[in-house]
Amino acid sequence: MSIAQELPVAPAHRTARRAAPVWWLVFCREFVDLWTGGRVLVLLVLFSLIMSVTSVLRQLESQLSLIPPVEMVFLTVLSSITFGLFVGLVIAADSFSGERERATLEPLLLTPVRPRQLVVGKFLAALTPWPLTLLISVPYVWVLGQGDDSITEALLLGAMLGGLMSIAFTGLAMVISIWSRSNRTSLFASLLVYLIFLIPTQWPGSAQKGDLGYLVQQLNPLQASSEFLEKVVVNNRTVAEKMPYLMAAIYAAAGVLLVLMLVAAPRLRLDVEASRPGRSRWHRGARTEALAGPALVLALLSVPALGLGPAAAAAPSASGGANGLSITTDLAYKTVNAGQSITFTTVVKNTGSTTSAASNVAMNIIKTGEGEPVDPEDWSPERTQGVDPLEPGESDAQQWTVNAILKGDYMIYLTVIPEPAGANATTNPVASPGIHLTVNAFEKSNPGGVLPVAIATPMAMAAIAMVPWWLRRRRGSAEDTDG
């Protein structure tokens, strides 16, 4: 039974108060067709296979490079978002261009239903696979994360970011589907735009630095979501601090929704040319048809974002300077495994004879020997702390936390910097002795833990996907028997 057969014909004697909203009827029918027709379940089986393969490969990589669990959690949640978007995008790309090819769009448009109601119902139905894709990824996150404290936070943030990205890319594919003559064109154009946004996320870290790299991160909602998730989950940055990257995802979802509901949906017609804003003969080729939708949506997605272990501690050591201030640390060296953290205390004391000015204590980390420079913001949630004016002999203590991210030898040092008396004055910073931090590779690996999940999850999804096929076959056998 098609959707058109189930939509109300609006006879005069029918009670409007009892009738369900038309968009809800469209949603219910689309939902049933998607989940009983087997199309979504096949995509979810494919999704579980991809997650299994990538999880096993990551586990093998972890045995070689000993990746900390928090990093594995981040990568697995990011993969679930990236692959999960593909499912909704494929479904949305078929929403209206597929109806045109199957000659079922005309009966839909002949019903007394506004085009926007059809779009809303189909759009909501196309969003329904995302929650299940996130649920399927939970076992992989749990096994690879090995019970790390970051799992809950990563899943919650992943659900939020994945929901925003699902709205953006599902809506994007639906806009292209409305403006496409064939299902092949719609799917090709949707996947092309998806790859344009996905490829920059795979660039090496060095290519993502500099002004151009940061600009791409701000403009690309997928890249911004990856940056936000990594900095908050792995590097312990606050959500407020990385809000510009989150806003890129929010702007992308809102921008696509505006185009879908205010531009594309009201112009839904059987004729593709009539569906597109600004009818132009130049757009009538199949090749240009594949480029018109992506170009507009690319601009709409990008422009809004422009606003946007065992250890030993040595005796405390101190350092003083001409400002009358000294800084003391209660730690001289420590050895930890990657993924662990250390805490230590500094004490700023006024050793002079007059009241000191207000000052700031800044922390820095450097890597000894060769290697890439360290970004201290990735290692500690707090880089500076303020100190109020101190009377002679008075002191103030500060607590610090440093997260060991990568294997190697590092030196941590702190400086206390008094505030200058004015614009034409300066002060001399006072540095503390260094804290030698030795970070060993993470050694708590679980090589066999992911294999049962990687095998059982696709098999379970395949079994579930067989249920609709079995029911249809049983129903067909019953009808043949009755006939």
Side-chain angles (χ1 to χ4, degrees):
M1 182 181 293
S2 65
I3 300 177
Q5 292 176 292
E6 293 197 355
L7 293 177
V9 188
H13 64 275
R14 187 164 183 171
T15 305
R17 219 183 323 179
R18 294 184 180 179
V22 176
W23 65 265
W24 177 253
L25 295 175
V26 175
F27 164 76
C28 292
R29 187 58 199 172
E30 282 289 316
F31 179 85
V32 172
D33 286 344
L34 285 174
W35 291 96
T36 61
R39 189 170 31 151
V40 175
L41 293 175
V42 170
L43 290 173
L44 291 178
V45 171
L46 176 63
F47 170 79
S48 63
L49 285 172
I50 294 175
M51 288 294 294
S52 294
V53 172
T54 55
S55 296
V56 171
L57 292 177
R58 284 205 181 97
Q59 188 62 58
L60 293 175
E61 182 185 2
S62 176
Q63 295 178 53
L64 297 176
S65 57
L66 301 176
I67 303 174
V70 65
E71 188 80 15
M72 300 288 280
V73 169
F74 157 69
L75 292 173
T76 308
V77 173
L78 184 63
S79 296
S80 70
I81 295 174
T82 304
F83 299 146
L85 295 180
F86 177 81
V87 178
L89 185 138
V90 171
I91 294 171
D94 177 69
S95 55
F96 291 101
S97 58
E99 297 275 8
R100 283 192 179 96
E101 283 194 344
R102 295 186 291 270
T104 55
L105 182 60
E106 185 175 6
L108 279 176
L109 296 176
L110 291 177
T111 59
V113 178
R114 280 177 265 181
R116 185 179 285 116
Q117 294 173 318
L118 291 174
V119 172
V120 170
K122 282 178 168 286
F123 175 71
L124 293 177
L127 290 177
T128 55
W130 161 245
L132 189 56
T133 58
L134 181 65
L135 185 63
I136 292 173
S137 67
V138 171
Y140 299 99
V141 176
W142 184 262
V143 171
L144 293 174
Q146 302 182 31
D148 191 82
D149 294 338
S150 63
I151 291 178
T152 301
E153 180 185 33
L155 288 174
L156 291 175
L157 292 176
M160 177 184 65
L161 292 170
L164 291 171
M165 289 295 92
S166 182
I167 291 173
F169 282 88
T170 300
L172 178 151
M174 193 160 288
V175 169
I176 297 176
S177 182
I178 292 174
W179 293 344
S180 298
R181 181 176 290 105
S182 67
N183 193 36
R184 182 176 59 182
T185 299
S186 174
L187 184 60
F188 172 78
S190 299
L191 292 177
L192 176 63
V193 178
Y194 174 71
L195 289 176
I196 290 174
F197 284 105
L198 179 63
I199 288 174
T201 66
Q202 308 303 313
W203 289 349
S206 57
Q208 300 181 25
K209 303 298 181 183
D211 294 339
L212 179 60
Y214 291 123
L215 178 62
V216 171
Q217 290 178 5
Q218 292 289 333
L219 295 179
N220 185 349
L222 272 180
Q223 181 72 2
S225 299
S226 173
E227 182 73 11
F228 176 85
L229 189 64
E230 180 181 18
K231 293 302 182 184
V232 175
V233 175
V234 179
N235 300 327
N236 297 295
R237 309 291 286 275
T238 64
V239 173
E241 190 177 358
K242 290 300 175 182
M243 185 57 70
Y245 292 98
L246 179 59
M247 292 306 298
I250 295 175
Y251 284 140
V256 170
L257 276 180
L258 288 175
V259 174
L260 178 63
M261 298 304 173
L262 300 183
V263 179
R267 292 179 172 85
L268 176 62
R269 301 290 186 275
L270 185 63
D271 180 15
V272 175
E273 299 299 331
S275 297
R276 297 174 185 167
R279 297 175 62 182
S280 172
R281 294 182 180 179
W282 186 80
H283 292 288
R284 287 184 181 177
R287 295 180 181 177
T288 58
E289 180 180 306
L291 300 177
L296 177 60
V297 181
L298 268 171
L300 290 166
L301 283 174
S302 301
V303 172
L306 288 172
L308 310 170
S317 54
S319 176
N323 296 302
L325 295 176
S326 66
I327 180 168
T328 304
T329 63
D330 65 347
L331 186 66
Y333 52 85
K334 194 164 188 178
T335 301
V336 296
N337 292 330
Q340 295 179 338
S341 61
I342 66 168
T343 58
F344 59 91
T345 302
T346 57
V347 177
V348 176
K349 184 176 182 179
N350 183 2
T351 59
S353 57
T354 60
T355 302
S356 67
S359 56
N360 291 284
V361 182
M363 182 186 65
N364 197 14
I365 307 171
I366 61 172
K367 190 178 190 303
T368 61
E370 297 181 355
E372 293 187 2
V374 179
D375 186 355
E377 293 181 348
D378 293 343
W379 287 62
S380 178
E382 194 169 25
R383 287 286 315 284
T384 61
Q385 297 189 45
V387 178
D388 294 331
L390 300 174
E391 298 295 332
E394 189 179 4
S395 61
D396 184 74
Q398 303 84 39
Q399 189 81 13
W400 303 89
T401 299
V402 174
N403 302 296
I405 303 297
L406 298 173
K407 174 187 175 182
D409 284 333
Y410 304 89
M411 291 298 296
I412 304 171
Y413 65 94
L414 301 99
T415 55
V416 53
I417 307 174
E419 295 181 359
N424 298 322
T426 188
T427 58
N428 296 320
V430 179
S432 73
I435 301 174
H436 182 199
L437 177 64
T438 303
V439 181
N440 295 323
F442 179 76
E443 298 178 352
K444 284 182 61 180
S445 59
N446 183 20
V450 72
L451 198 56
V453 175
I455 296 175
T457 303
M459 291 182 62
M461 290 305 305
I464 295 173
M466 292 292 292
V467 172
W469 174 83
W470 179 77
L471 291 176
R472 288 195 301 270
R473 184 176 180 180
R474 184 178 179 183
R475 190 182 303 114
S477 299
E479 292 176 355
D480 292 341
T481 303
D482 294 339

